[in-house]
Amino acid sequence: MRKISGLKTLVVAAVALTALAPAPATAAARSCSGGGGTLNTKHGYVKYVWKVCGDGYAAASGTVNDTKWDLWTAVVEVSFSRAGKGVGGTGGRVEAGRKRGSRDFAFSAAARQGADTVVIKARRCLPGTALCNNTTTFTGKL
């Protein structure tokens, strides 16, 4: 019984020392850049906030708004990339909705995916289609 008790004490001591040890590499890797702004299209706009961190985490959120009562709608498209190559399964597209619609959006890429760039596009599109015009693009990098 004494050996098991001693082993438990050793494990607890090792865990405590590990928790107290400084981790300078993670603090340096968590340096982030970011900001916000507005992208305008002919009859709509996107207000956004973005963030890209050294550990690979990236996020973009905001609101897409349509300002005209017609068939077209304002659309926001968000994508993340690492060294010029897309990061699969992240980002997306949100339509504001026809006739002065408005929608919130939020997309992110996990740190393990290693994103270093976020691209936000504001467009005017026919709802549910790829037929778009008036594209305005913002690119944020670490």
Side-chain angles (χ1 to χ4, degrees):
M1 288 293 194
R2 208 166 243 276
K3 286 186 179 179
I4 293 174
S5 177
L7 181 60
K8 284 182 184 177
T9 304
L10 181 61
V11 169
V12 169
V15 169
L17 289 174
T18 304
L20 294 175
T26 58
R30 191 60 180 181
S31 65
C32 300
S33 61
T38 303
L39 294 173
N40 294 305
T41 65
K42 187 174 180 181
H43 297 291
Y45 62 93
V46 173
K47 287 189 175 184
Y48 62 90
V49 177
W50 66 279
K51 181 178 185 178
V52 178
C53 297
D55 64 358
Y57 173 79
S61 62
T63 305
V64 57
N65 299 283
D66 189 69
T67 59
K68 189 171 181 183
W69 191 276
D70 64 357
L71 288 175
W72 295 77
T73 184
V75 173
V76 64
E77 295 176 352
V78 178
S79 61
F80 302 99
S81 63
R82 172 183 57 239
K85 297 180 182 177
V87 176
T90 61
R93 171 186 167 123
V94 173
E95 295 182 359
R98 292 178 31 216
K99 302 180 181 178
R100 297 186 183 161
S102 178
R103 289 234 173 98
D104 293 334
F105 66 92
F107 299 104
S108 63
R112 62 182 156 69
Q113 292 170 315
D116 62 4
T117 305
V118 60
V119 177
I120 303 169
K121 292 182 181 179
R123 302 176 141 189
R124 286 284 286 168
C125 302
L126 283 175
T129 69
L131 182 58
C132 299
N133 60 21
N134 297 109
T135 301
T136 308
T137 305
F138 167 80
T139 303
K141 296 186 176 191
L142 180 62

